[in-house]
Amino acid sequence: MNAPGFSGINQAGELISLSDFKGKKVVLYFYPKDNTSGCTAEACNLNDNYHSFLEKGYEVIGVSPDNEASHRKFIDKYQLRFNLIADTEKKILEAYGVWAEKKMYGRTYMGVLRTTFIIDEQGVIESIISKVNTKNHAAQILDL
C-alpha cells in the first residue's frame, strides 16, 4: 500500500513533504504530545539510536498535533536530531488513520493513536507498528 503523501511544517518553520525523502526509507511516527512521559521516552529512544537508523538508510520523522514552538522546545530540551512536524489541523494524522476516538477512565475523546509506519524508498508502507513500546521503540523498528 502506498503511503499517503503529506506536507507539513517542522520545528524550524520549514515545509517537509514525504516526497522529499524519495529514495530513502522513512520511519514516520505519530505521537500524542510533546513533553509527556511516554512521548518523551519514545523520542529519546529513537534519538539515542538515530545513528543506527541513518546507517540502515532511514530518516526519522515525528508527527503530533503540537505546534512548531512546542516542537522547538521539545527538540531543544532533549537534543533531538530529527524533524517533528506540527500537524495542528490533523490532516496528516487523519490521512494515516491515527486521529481517532479513544477511551480512558470511562471518558471518550478524540486523540492520536501512537503508531509508527515504516515506508520504503518508493513510498510504500512496509510495516505498521501499532503496539509501540515507548522505551524500546528503536529495537522494534530495527529488528523488523
Side-chain angles (χ1 to χ4, degrees):
M1 173 170 142
N2 285 334
F6 66 82
S7 292
I9 302 297
N10 73 357
Q11 67 281 355
E14 302 164 335
L15 185 67
I16 302 289
S17 300
L18 181 59
S19 59
D20 297 340
F21 301 95
K22 192 148 182 79
K24 282 189 169 186
K25 298 177 199 172
V26 175
V27 172
L28 181 64
Y29 83 99
F30 293 91
Y31 66 100
K33 187 146 185 57
D34 293 338
N35 287 303
T36 56
S37 60
C39 297
T40 298
E42 181 179 18
C44 289
N45 179 254
L46 294 172
N47 196 56
D48 290 347
N49 293 279
Y50 188 61
H51 187 71
S52 296
F53 286 114
L54 294 179
E55 283 180 345
K56 291 190 174 228
Y58 287 101
E59 188 55 54
V60 177
I61 304 169
V63 180
S64 85
D66 294 307
N67 63 30
E68 295 165 49
S70 177
H71 284 340
R72 264 193 310 279
K73 288 177 189 169
F74 191 43
I75 285 173
D76 289 347
K77 184 173 183 179
Y78 296 102
Q79 300 299 299
L80 303 179
R81 294 174 281 175
F82 46 83
N83 283 299
L84 297 179
I85 294 177
D87 190 19
T88 56
E89 294 180 13
K90 300 165 190 76
K91 289 180 180 175
I92 303 169
L93 295 164
E94 288 174 350
Y96 279 81
V98 297
W99 181 252
E101 193 173 270
K102 296 172 80 173
K103 291 183 182 188
M104 187 169 24
Y105 307 121
R107 192 176 69 107
T108 302
Y109 62 98
M110 294 300 288
V112 177
L113 302 175
R114 188 185 307 277
T115 309
T116 298
F117 294 81
I118 310 304
I119 303 168
D120 75 9
E121 298 88 343
Q122 281 73 44
V124 174
I125 297 172
E126 280 185 348
S127 187
I128 301 171
I129 302 170
S130 55
K131 292 191 186 321
V132 172
N133 177 340
T134 57
K135 292 180 179 157
N136 296 300
H137 194 37
Q140 282 183 295
I141 298 164
L142 294 167
D143 291 346
L144 287 175

